[in-house]
Amino acid sequence: MRLELCWSDVEEVVAASPTRLVGKRLEVDLEALRALLSADPRLTGIRLDLVHPGERCRIGRVFDVVAPRAKLDGGEDFPGVLGGVAKAGHGRTLALGGVAVVATDQQTASVGTLAVIDMAGPNAALSAFGATHNLVISAWPAPGTERSDYLAAVRLAALKTAVRLAQTAREAEPNRVEIFALPPSPRVPPELAHLPRVAYIFQIHSHQRPTGLDEGILYGDPVRRMLPTIVHPNEVLDGAVLRGFMGRSVTTWATQNHPMIRALYAQHGRTLWFAGVVVTVAQATEPERVRSAFLAAGLVAHTLGADGAVFTKIGGGAPHVDMAQAAAQCEALGVKTTAVVEDMSTDGSAEGMLLFDFPGVDALVNVGSSQELLTLPAMDRVVGADDLAPRLLGETRATYGTLCGAIEQVGSTRVMAEVR
Amino acid sequence: MAVKPMQVVCYLNQFFGQLGGEEKAGVGPQVVDGAVGAARAVQQALGDAGTVVATVICGDNYAAEQAERAVAEMVALVAAARPDLVVAGPAFLAGRYGVACGALCAAVQAALKIPTVTGMHAENPGVELHRRQVYIVQTSAEAARMLDEVKRLVALGTKLARGEAIGAPTAEGYFARGVTRNVVAGASAADRAVAMLLEKLAGRPFASEVPRPAFPPVAAPRLAKTLEGATIALVTDGGLVPKGNPDGIEALNATRYGAYSIEGKAGLDAAQYDNPHRGYDTTWVKQDPHRLVPVDVARELEQSGAIGKLHETVYSTVGVATTLAHSARMGAEIAEKLRAAGVDAVILTST
């Protein structure tokens, strides 16, 4: 399967009509976009703001971040959620670099957990979204709209916007084209047969909370009874997997630019053979967890024939243990593993970093502690959270977990907890 | 910019303080102006950056046998000198000395808010006792290269006294204190994970970024009597609380637990209970609390005589992101109460 990401780099984003890409300047007709998004009866009072790197601006109430993408040929946009259900991961997809769509959640009850993005100051460098031009969507639920429907509508608005923006590159000559081509897993050329076969086990959701009916995560499916299954890595890169509504420390943007899949592609044919991707969910009960762990390990060891496997998780403690159980099952089958974990300690002690100790699961990389405190410096403007502006304008204490994009559990970030 | 010279107090035992050998190990704390004995190496390492204004000396036996009193007396001596930094030792492999160095440093930091540094060999018992609170520089076992070792203590101590950022244990040469700090790594977590996997696959050494937890194994005790004669208690970390959560048990990171009577109850009425637990989908437990705390079945077993008696108090907390320290404390407290109440065995339900 072969996917081409046709990148157009954007260095400037301005409000202007019509929506179009002029060289490296993206002009956005905010009024027309607002009209497009307002067609959803679940949303009301839609507001769109543009914020830019270096601006002393803080985005509040961040719900998810989406990378602008649009299919040029070979499939549907965000299949199963925005576009029709169709196989993703092949053909050509338009991608804008330097721009992100930020969806906000105006209903978050606990402001302590709301995510922020800083466009300037020291925190801007910790998150990918401090360096992108961001189109921020604020929308409120229409009367009678349930919470899950509201979140589904907000996410859909972000996806529509992402497609609309990327479509401006339809006529543009891309600045670069990234090619992701991976042959069927068993077809290894003899001269590369010595390379270790490596699989990626991607936990795409945690059932610590039940998913809503419209909470499409895999090709629009809310993955309620999902068992481990194999997907082509291109499907993940091309919009088949979206973040659920409650995924902490993970964005859809990170999944669209999946760092682990990119890292494995980068080494493919050189130091390893990328054997494939297994998607799993963190289960809610022990029998489900055990079943999922050995099924995932079986796919990795027996179907993909992997020698090694990398794991990531989504969410808190239960997904952390769920992932480790699957890794332990792999180790028991002779598959060497590494796993990316978040520092789970809530008191900053090294003893509390990990919630498991399974044989062989001894090679761990971490994405830092979301509990560690950091300072949000004073800003000039708050976007996406008008009601919280008085609090978010001034200097305030927060945690790394509050800063959207500082800790991405799929491994895009460089923040790590060091034992001292 | 000129940096103000530091005032330093050193702590030495009787041997390094040149009072004498083992025959002087019983002498109590005393203070000498300026640098004496091994403290001269500290002065040499400091150069123009600071002055050893006083040396506190105490015999090893005095420090070991009357530890609390010795530390209190030495803290008072340090306080009188009002230094910017305390350098204790280095103690190398000397056990009594190392423990005293660690204890004095910890006490000085806590009571006087003055930074401290000490040094010892990895096998000195003072390391395990005090590395969590005190910066302990790793030294060799014996004082063969005193000045070199002291230079490393002084380098770290100078940073501490000036409030400069302290690097990683391997970079600065101190024993990991077991605390975590977020830093920015040179590569993404994904790139590091793939690189680590390749090392592991090749059978080469790799450095995991997370230490394996050293959970002490807890052997399940044998029930000394038959179930028919035993009192059984129900305990859970799944978050069952009476409506209104009267004990205010936290939704995560819990520090509290509740004791809830089930006296006279054949079962748990869902309308009277709630569940603040934020770590799992509590829908089904709220619908029927017996899915978490099986009072109904336990009562049947009690009625049929399969168990002697159901303990009339259920203990409950929220087990999500709970620190090890609080978990251990709450567990010990609950166990103590159960034992005092004559409970023989516990059914612990988790989620």
Side-chain angles (χ1 to χ4, degrees):
Chain A
M1 192 145 71
R2 180 186 166 98
L3 171 70
E4 292 183 14
L5 280 187
C6 305
W7 286 93
S8 292
D9 294 325
V10 172
E11 290 177 354
E12 191 187 357
V13 179
V14 295
S17 181
T19 296
R20 60 178 184 164
L21 185 64
V22 185
K24 296 197 171 180
R25 186 174 74 246
L26 177 64
E27 299 178 348
V28 187
D29 185 339
L30 294 176
E31 224 15 82
L33 185 57
R34 194 182 351 261
L36 173 75
L37 303 182
S38 298
D40 191 327
R42 298 171 294 185
L43 297 179
T44 182
I46 294 172
R47 258 189 50 189
L48 304 173
D49 290 284
L50 294 173
V51 299
H52 310 284
E55 192 183 345
R56 284 174 51 84
C57 172
R58 172 165 297 135
I59 310 173
R61 293 190 170 280
V62 177
F63 167 55
D64 198 2
V65 183
V66 180
R69 297 283 169 85
K71 289 303 289 183
L72 193 56
D73 54 56
E76 295 275 338
D77 296 314
F78 302 108
V81 177
L82 179 59
V85 182
K87 183 95 166 167
H90 59 103
R92 289 183 298 166
T93 300
L94 301 167
L96 297 187
V99 186
V101 178
V102 176
T104 61
D105 172 3
Q106 299 300 326
Q107 278 190 326
T108 316
S110 163
V111 291
T113 60
L114 71 100
V116 302
I117 294 170
D118 276 8
M119 301 308 296
N123 299 330
L126 293 176
S127 165
F129 315 122
T132 50
H133 295 271
N134 298 322
L135 193 158
V136 184
I137 303 172
S138 308
W140 283 258
T145 305
E146 299 278 328
R147 169 122 182 102
S148 184
D149 288 337
Y150 166 63
L151 293 178
V154 165
R155 186 175 69 175
L156 197 62
L159 299 179
K160 285 176 185 168
T161 303
V163 172
R164 184 68 197 92
L165 295 187
Q167 279 172 343
T168 59
R170 196 178 277 278
E171 309 300 330
E173 184 65 32
N175 297 104
R176 61 187 188 285
V177 177
E178 265 188 303
I179 295 166
F180 298 93
L182 199 63
S185 162
R187 298 204 190 136
V188 188
E191 69 273 18
L192 297 178
H194 65 284
L195 293 174
R197 297 171 59 83
V198 175
Y200 169 46
I201 294 75
F202 180 17
Q203 195 183 80
I204 59 174
H205 184 71
S206 163
H207 283 306
Q208 284 162 299
R209 280 164 207 83
T211 47
L213 274 176
D214 268 355
E215 194 172 347
I217 291 170
L218 178 65
Y219 283 112
D221 186 74
V223 300
R224 282 182 172 172
R225 305 287 304 170
M226 194 186 97
L227 294 172
T229 191
I230 295 171
V231 299
H232 193 283
N234 290 5
E235 296 177 82
V236 178
L237 295 174
D238 204 25
V241 177
L242 303 181
R243 192 198 78 147
F245 297 164
M246 299 297 172
R248 98 179 192 175
S249 298
V250 65
T251 59
T252 292
W253 190 94
T255 300
Q256 293 172 277
N257 294 289
H258 205 300
M260 195 66 77
I261 288 173
R262 282 174 175 277
L264 290 168
Y265 255 118
Q267 294 299 321
H268 175 67
R270 297 170 56 216
T271 59
L272 58 82
W273 184 263
F274 190 1
V277 176
V278 176
V279 288
T280 66
V281 293
Q283 303 286 1
T285 66
E286 184 63 10
E288 289 173 301
R289 194 157 27 243
V290 172
R291 185 185 303 127
S292 186
F294 69 68
L295 286 175
L299 292 177
V300 169
H302 301 135
T303 307
L304 297 177
D307 303 301
V310 279
F311 288 76
T312 61
K313 56 159 268 205
I314 274 179
H320 176 92
V321 176
D322 194 296
M323 169 182 73
Q325 260 177 269
Q329 292 282 344
C330 279
E331 290 280 349
L333 295 174
V335 179
K336 302 289 183 209
T337 63
T338 59
V340 178
V341 298
E342 193 180 315
D343 171 4
M344 297 303 288
S345 174
T346 46
D347 61 356
S349 74
E351 284 94 344
M353 289 179 86
L354 217 52
L355 306 180
F356 57 79
D357 186 16
F358 292 123
V361 187
D362 56 0
L364 302 167
V365 162
N366 82 72
V367 287
S369 163
S370 62
Q371 303 271 339
E372 188 170 316
L373 295 172
L374 58 71
T375 302
L376 300 179
M379 292 282 162
D380 295 340
R381 184 160 84 109
V382 167
V383 159
D386 294 355
D387 56 330
L388 303 175
R391 192 186 132 192
L392 286 179
L393 266 177
E395 178 178 308
T396 175
R397 293 289 268 174
T399 61
Y400 276 76
T402 312
L403 193 64
C404 178
I407 292 178
E408 292 273 15
Q409 293 190 330
V410 293
S412 3
T413 41
R414 294 196 292 138
V415 170
M416 68 171 281
E418 194 175 69
V419 178
R420 296 198 161 188
Chain B
M1 195 180 75
V3 181
K4 187 170 148 273
M6 286 183 296
Q7 307 240 307
V8 177
V9 166
C10 291
Y11 161 62
L12 302 171
N13 71 355
Q14 82 283 354
F15 177 73
F16 286 101
Q18 293 180 336
L19 290 182
E22 198 59 33
E23 78 283 358
K24 294 283 188 185
V27 300
Q30 49 188 279
V31 65
V32 184
D33 282 346
V36 299
R40 293 203 189 97
V42 173
Q43 181 59 66
Q44 206 177 332
L46 279 166
D48 297 337
T51 306
V52 176
V53 293
T55 305
V56 173
I57 307 167
C58 181
D60 278 338
N61 284 347
Y62 188 94
E65 287 160 12
Q66 314 177 61
E68 262 181 53
R69 182 173 161 195
V71 166
E73 290 170 354
M74 291 192 284
V75 167
L77 296 177
V78 171
R82 298 175 59 191
D84 304 305
L85 173 71
V86 171
V87 178
F92 305 100
L93 196 47
R96 288 169 302 179
Y97 188 21
V99 171
C101 282
L104 176 62
C105 288
V108 165
Q109 289 173 184
L112 308 178
K113 314 286 179 217
I114 293 171
T116 70
V117 65
T118 181
M120 49 193 99
H121 182 264
E123 284 165 28
N124 193 311
V127 172
E128 203 37 52
L129 278 173
H130 295 293
R131 69 178 168 86
R132 281 169 190 77
Q133 297 86 39
V134 177
Y135 283 100
I136 305 175
V137 170
Q138 182 160 13
T139 71
S140 50
E142 289 171 22
R145 292 174 295 112
M146 175 65 95
L147 184 58
D148 288 344
E149 311 261 29
V150 165
K151 275 182 179 166
R152 292 191 292 116
L153 264 72
V154 167
L156 181 60
T158 304
K159 283 191 173 186
L160 287 166
R162 290 179 181 162
E164 292 171 10
I166 305 299
T170 46
E172 305 272 8
Y174 63 90
F175 292 102
R177 307 166 82 213
V179 297
T180 67
R181 267 280 301 282
N182 280 347
V183 297
V184 176
S188 74
D191 286 340
R192 303 199 309 274
V194 171
M196 192 183 290
L197 181 62
L198 288 171
E199 298 297 314
K200 188 172 172 178
L201 279 165
R204 290 189 291 263
F206 56 87
S208 177
E209 297 172 2
V210 184
R212 305 266 297 262
F215 300 133
V218 179
R222 287 193 67 82
L223 184 59
K225 48 177 92 167
T226 60
L227 271 180
E228 291 84 350
T231 300
I232 311 288
L234 300 177
V235 177
T236 185
D237 72 348
L240 183 85
V241 295
K243 265 274 187 291
N245 192 5
D247 296 294
I249 299 177
E250 302 91 333
L252 74 171
N253 224 332
T255 62
R256 293 191 277 272
Y257 59 92
Y260 305 117
S261 173
I262 51 168
E263 211 164 343
K265 292 183 180 178
L268 303 175
D269 174 10
Q272 293 179 24
Y273 291 91
D274 201 354
N275 197 315
H277 200 295
R278 282 249 297 270
Y280 71 102
D281 177 4
T282 52
T283 309
W284 313 109
V285 164
K286 284 178 179 165
Q287 197 177 78
D288 181 356
H290 295 115
R291 290 174 173 142
L292 180 65
V293 181
V295 172
D296 53 349
V297 175
R299 284 287 187 220
E300 287 171 22
L301 292 172
E302 187 182 39
Q303 291 296 318
S304 72
I307 61 170
K309 184 169 167 25
L310 179 62
H311 186 50
E312 299 295 353
T313 303
V314 168
Y315 288 90
S316 176
T317 187
V318 165
V320 52
T322 314
T323 64
L324 279 179
H326 282 302
S327 298
R329 175 188 53 78
M330 290 191 282
E333 287 176 15
I334 292 170
E336 200 45 59
K337 287 174 183 172
L338 292 171
R339 184 158 42 193
V343 171
D344 300 300
V346 170
I347 296 173
L348 178 65
T349 52
S350 195
T351 51

